[in-house]
Amino acid sequence: VSSDSALAKAIRYGLRHWTGLERFLTDGRLELDINIVEREIRPVAVTRKAALFAGSEGGGATWAIATTLIRTAILNGINPQAWLTDVLERMVSGEVRSTQLATLLPWNWRQPGTAAAA
C-alpha cells in the first residue's frame, strides 16, 4: 500500500487513536462520537461570541457568570428563570443561611411547592 494512499492514511489514523478505540470497546458508557457534547456546548460558544460586545471587562465577567448559571440550570433540566428567581428571593429574604447555600444549587434545588412532597 502506498504511504500516500487513502487506505494508508486511514490505517495511520486508526493506529494513532487505538487507545481510545480500545476504551470505547471495553467501556459501554463511552460514546463513539462527540456529537452530544458538541450540541451542548454550541449555545455556550455562541453566547461567548455575543459577550465580546458586553462593553467592558466587568460587563464580560458579569455576562460569563449569568451564562454559567443559566446553562447549568438548563443542563439540570430546570427552568432557569424560575430557579434564579426563587434562589435570589430566598437569599435576599434570609430564608437560607450561608451554610445552606448548597441546597440552592441546580442539582439540589426543589421548585417551591415540591419540597414538601420530595
Side-chain angles (χ1 to χ4, degrees), residues 30-51:
L30 299 179
E31 295 286 335
L32 184 58
D33 59 32
I34 59 170
N35 289 339
I36 294 171
V37 174
E38 287 178 349
R39 265 194 310 276
E40 289 298 323
I41 66 172
R42 186 172 294 122
V44 174
V46 170
T47 302
R48 186 181 63 230
K49 278 187 171 181

Side-chain angles (χ1 to χ4, degrees), residues 13-69:
Y13 178 86
L15 291 173
R16 278 195 315 270
H17 294 87
W18 192 257
T19 305
L21 178 61
E22 284 179 336
R23 273 197 200 122
F24 168 74
L25 293 174
T26 58
D27 189 344
R29 298 172 297 171
L30 299 179
E31 295 286 335
L32 184 58
D33 59 32
I34 59 170
N35 289 339
I36 294 171
V37 174
E38 287 178 349
R39 265 194 310 276
E40 289 298 323
I41 66 172
R42 186 172 294 122
V44 174
V46 170
T47 302
R48 186 181 63 230
K49 278 187 171 181
L52 293 173
F53 303 102
S56 68
E57 188 175 335
T62 301
W63 186 294
I65 291 168
T67 300
T68 301
L69 292 172

